[in-house]
């Protein structure tokens, strides 16, 4: 079985980033949408420069998180910030995703889909929605539906819905990441039950709103354990 990929999202501090340089992390996310974790292009460029210091010789790829951006906004940012992934976390259409992929062939394009917290609730984006993204994105990410925003609520969704999304994603050759309320104490349950392609964590590895090296280390070790 392929190793599960890990994305740690919402990095803001250079010193925190330096403390992580021994961790086998695959992606680090920088938030450019409205959020308490938002970074400026200048901050992001400085943080991304620090990835070259990763000690295992395999630095994580930089992912930028956006909500309903325009092509012009993305072009302006990419002119100064060397992202490897554009993660679209709003209500972007498949047409916009396809346009982003065509305009910026040097980066991967990921699309986040909203999944309801409980089995009784309807999903904002059901498995049937995946077909429209075939050929338009490089990966999909499931996150908990948040009526107040575009994710980042720190709450899990109904994991029982994951297999139907996995089946649809497999049909269209799309890797599927899972986010939403993950932390060191529940990520093995997710992996053992559903074996997603990758996992994305933010608030679950924080203490007092700041990334916590002990929690990040525990999370990564529990994901990467054989």
């Amino acid at each position: 079985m392929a190793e599960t990929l890990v994305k740690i999202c919402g990095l803001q501090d250079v010193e925190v980033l330096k403390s992580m340089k021994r961790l086998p992390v695959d992606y680090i996310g920088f938030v450019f949408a409205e959020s308490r974790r938002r970074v400026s292009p200048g901050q992001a460029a400085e943080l991304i420069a620090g990835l070259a210091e990763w000690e295992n010789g395999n630095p994580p790829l930089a992912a930028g998180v956006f909500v309903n951006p325009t092509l012009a906004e993305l072009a302006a940012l990419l002119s100064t910030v060397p992202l490897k992934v554009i993660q679209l976390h709003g209500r972007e259409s498949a047409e916009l995703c396809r346009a982003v992929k065509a305009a910026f062939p040097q980066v991967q394009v990921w699309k986040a889909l909203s999944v309801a917290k409980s089995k009784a609730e309807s999903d904002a984006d059901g498995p049937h929605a995946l077909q429209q993204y075939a050929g338009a994105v490089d990966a999909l990410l499931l996150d908990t539906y948040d009526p107040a925003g575009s994710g980042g609520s720190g709450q899990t969704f109904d994991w029982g819905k994951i297999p139907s999304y996995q089946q649809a994603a497999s049909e269209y050759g799309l890797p599927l990441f899972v986010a939403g309320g993950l932390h060191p104490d529940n990520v093995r349950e997710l992996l053992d039950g559903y074996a997603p392609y990758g996992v994305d964590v933010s608030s679950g590895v924080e203490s007092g709103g700041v990334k916590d090296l002990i929690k990040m280390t525990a999370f990564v070790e529990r994901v990467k354990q054989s």
Side-chain angles (χ1 to χ4, degrees), residues 38-78:
R38 185 174 187 172
V39 293
S40 69
Q43 285 177 296
E46 181 182 8
L47 287 159
I48 292 170
L51 299 182
E53 301 176 10
W54 228 254
E55 291 197 355
N56 64 5
N58 188 28
L61 300 182
V65 180
F66 302 86
V67 172
N68 305 321
T70 65
L71 290 178
E73 289 169 344
L74 292 173
L77 189 132
L78 287 169

Side-chain angles (χ1 to χ4, degrees), residues 5 23 101 126 132-133 135 178 184 195 198:
L5 301 185
L23 296 181
K101 188 170 173 60
Q132 64 184 308
Y133 295 107
V178 173

Side-chain angles (χ1 to χ4, degrees), residues 117-198:
K117 297 175 188 175
S118 73
K119 185 179 298 185
E121 296 175 291
S122 297
D123 296 339
D125 301 293
H128 59 85
L130 273 63
Q131 181 177 5
Q132 64 184 308
Y133 295 107
V137 299
D138 298 289
L140 294 168
L141 182 145
L142 303 182
D143 198 1
T144 307
Y145 172 66
D146 180 8
S150 298
S153 66
Q155 300 182 56
T156 57
F157 59 84
D158 175 22
W159 288 352
K161 297 181 177 185
I162 291 175
S164 59
Y165 284 93
Q166 288 177 314
Q167 181 177 351
S170 178
E171 289 178 13
Y172 302 113
L174 292 170
L176 192 67
F177 287 74
V178 173
L182 297 179
H183 51 75
D185 293 332
N186 69 0
V187 70
R188 275 314 314 175
E189 179 185 351
L190 172 71
L191 268 61
D192 292 342
Y194 303 100
Y197 178 84

